[in-house]
Each structure stands twice: as C-alpha cells, then as structure tokens.
Amino acid sequence: QVQLVESGGGLVQAGGSLRLSCAASGRTFSRYAMAWFRQAPGQEREFVAANSWSGGRTIYADSVKGRFTIARDNTKNTIDLQKNSLKPEDTAVYYCAAALVGPSQYRMEYEYWGQGTQVTVSS
C-alpha cells in the first residue's frame, strides 16, 4: 500500500502561483511513477503531469505545459506541482497518484490516489 496526502491548495487570483505537495508513505516511494490529475465540477478527472520513478522523464498535458512544473524528491518521499500563470480554468480538485509503470497520462494505470486538494483561481 502507498498512502498519499496532498496539501497546498487554496484560493489564488488569476496570474498568480501556487505550489501543491504530495507526501507519500508506505512502500518504497522511489519505485513509483507519480502524477497529478485534476477534476473540475461536472467534469471527468484529467491528467495534468507525471514523473518517472527516477524523475528523469516528465510529461505534461498541453493545457499546462510551460506553466506547471512537476518535481519529486525521493529522499523526502514528496512530489510537488509548481503552478504559475494560473487561469480560472485551472480551478479543480487536484489529486496525486502513484503507479508502478509510467509516467503515463492514463488514469487507469494509477493504483494509488490521494484525497485531493481544492484549488480555486479567481478572475
């Protein structure tokens, strides 16, 4: 089992920045590819960014490329998402997830999920 706990959500104005963090416990964190997904009200959960187990390979959704940065620290068992130039359409609950394969943009490949943290971007 891997337990994931997100933090860092909140309310921010458009154009601002926010940093989310996900702390992992349980099995060896460094074995897992990690990702961030988000879900806006009435919409399906969508991929945001993912990072390989070593951190050497990273993929992003087109909608966040150039604005968001995913980074992991295997010594601290954390995966962060730095979000810059935020837009109202970035408003969603953000989830971190872990998978033994990856990085992948496909939700079904992720075995473990956190509870989510709300991010609201005001215009």
Side-chain angles (χ1 to χ4, degrees), residues 2 7 20 47 52 60-61 81 84 89 93 102 105 113 115 122:
V2 175
S7 62
L20 305 183
F47 170 75
S52 62
Y60 293 95
L81 184 69
N84 299 327
E89 52 262 45
V93 177
Q105 62 180 312
W113 294 83
Q115 293 300 306
S122 63

Side-chain angles (χ1 to χ4, degrees), residues 74-86:
N74 285 344
T75 65
K76 298 180 180 178
N77 287 5
T78 58
I79 181 85
D80 290 354
L81 184 69
Q82 176 65 42
K83 309 186 318 174
N84 299 327
S85 302
L86 283 162

